[in-house]
Amino acid sequence: MNGLQVKYLKNIAKHMNMEIDIIPMPFARRIREFRQGNLDMLVGLQRENGKQDEVVYITPSYETLRHTFFILKKNVDGLQSFADLKTMSIGVTRNAKYFDRFNQESDLIMVPVSTLKQKIELLEKGRINTFVHFQESALPQIIKMGLQKDIVLAKYQPIEVNSYYVTISQNSPLISKKYLFESAVRAAIANHEFATIRREHYALKRD
């Protein structure tokens, strides 16, 4: 209950002068409950198309990040292009979306896991060849595990970036307050609050 997305949610609620109840649940169930209107707000969703359906995306996006490939230092020359990925087993987060070319490539050998720590451990043990994750969160965890000399950034990195949105459910009674969400997100972006929360969150994880 002290995760990064929880901190984002609390920050938005503070801007709106509203109480917030945060309910931990698996991602797939979270999306289902959200679409049904049993959850009012989510953060961390990507907009995949122009359709709103039950998900209302609050613009602008609050965060833009780039996925990053990590590899064992001794094998760093083995990943220098996207084509090299086709000969590798790749640690990914279960049900996560990455960048378009990666998502659409059917020949990649992906090993889905639930946590970043599992990705790092599999790579350290040589059970995967690389993994993909956000650099901002992966590096502090690698350092915390004392593996910064063994696990490094791959030479190949995607150029695509991913935008993440605050979202509210079309079926929530809070839909009438969409303008308040927009004001809260814009104010937090203008004050660099999301970036500050992320930086401080991962600084604590390093400590």
Side-chain angles (χ1 to χ4, degrees):
M1 292 296 289
N2 197 36
L4 180 60
Q5 292 193 355
V6 169
K7 293 174 182 177
Y8 287 160
L9 289 167
K10 288 180 176 178
N11 185 68
I12 295 164
K14 180 188 70 176
H15 273 280
M16 297 176 65
N17 260 343
M18 295 178 70
E19 296 290 330
I20 186 169
D21 291 323
I22 297 174
I23 307 170
M25 62 179 63
F27 182 76
R29 183 185 165 201
R30 197 184 318 164
I31 295 297
R32 184 172 64 250
E33 295 290 323
F34 181 66
R35 291 186 182 278
Q36 292 173 354
N38 298 325
L39 297 177
D40 299 300
M41 174 173 59
L42 288 180
V43 295
L45 294 189
Q46 298 180 60
R47 190 169 191 170
E48 297 184 16
N49 54 50
K51 295 170 61 178
Q52 291 275 7
D53 56 56
E54 296 94 349
V55 180
V56 178
Y57 297 84
I58 302 301
T59 55
S61 65
Y62 69 86
E63 190 168 58
T64 300
L65 299 170
R66 179 179 283 112
H67 285 103
T68 303
F69 287 95
F70 291 84
I71 195 166
L72 290 174
K73 186 175 182 180
K74 63 183 180 182
N75 299 328
V76 70
D77 290 332
L79 181 50
Q80 300 192 48
S81 69
F82 186 89
D84 292 330
L85 290 170
K86 297 183 180 182
T87 65
M88 295 183 162
S89 55
I90 308 160
V92 297
T93 301
R94 188 172 282 110
N95 297 323
K97 297 290 185 182
Y98 293 95
F99 54 98
D100 286 345
R101 187 179 182 188
F102 187 79
N103 296 334
Q104 295 166 9
E105 179 56 66
S106 59
D107 293 336
L108 298 178
I109 303 169
M110 299 191 192
V111 180
V113 298
S114 300
T115 68
L116 169 60
K117 186 177 180 183
Q118 288 175 313
K119 291 180 183 177
I120 296 171
E121 289 173 341
L122 288 174
L123 181 59
E124 179 196 13
K125 295 173 183 176
R127 296 181 52 191
I128 57 175
N129 304 115
T130 184
F131 71 79
V132 58
H133 206 88
F134 293 130
Q135 180 175 333
E136 293 87 349
S137 51
L139 282 179
Q141 183 65 36
I142 290 169
I143 293 169
K144 185 177 181 180
M145 295 171 69
L147 296 172
Q148 63 270 28
K149 292 183 179 178
D150 302 311
I151 296 177
V152 298
L153 300 178
K155 291 184 177 178
Y156 164 74
Q157 298 297 342
I159 60 172
E160 295 91 337
V161 295
N162 300 83
S163 295
Y164 294 86
Y165 292 86
V166 174
T167 55
I168 53 177
S169 172
Q170 183 73 50
N171 298 316
S172 164
L174 288 181
I175 191 65
S176 62
K177 300 185 183 298
K178 178 184 175 184
Y179 69 99
L180 292 178
F181 283 93
E182 293 171 338
S183 297
V185 170
R186 289 195 181 101
I189 291 172
N191 294 329
H192 307 288
E193 292 171 29
F194 292 113
T196 299
I197 290 169
R198 171 174 280 276
R199 184 176 62 252
E200 292 177 350
H201 176 79
Y202 288 113
L204 285 173
K205 292 190 73 169
R206 281 196 299 271
D207 301 340

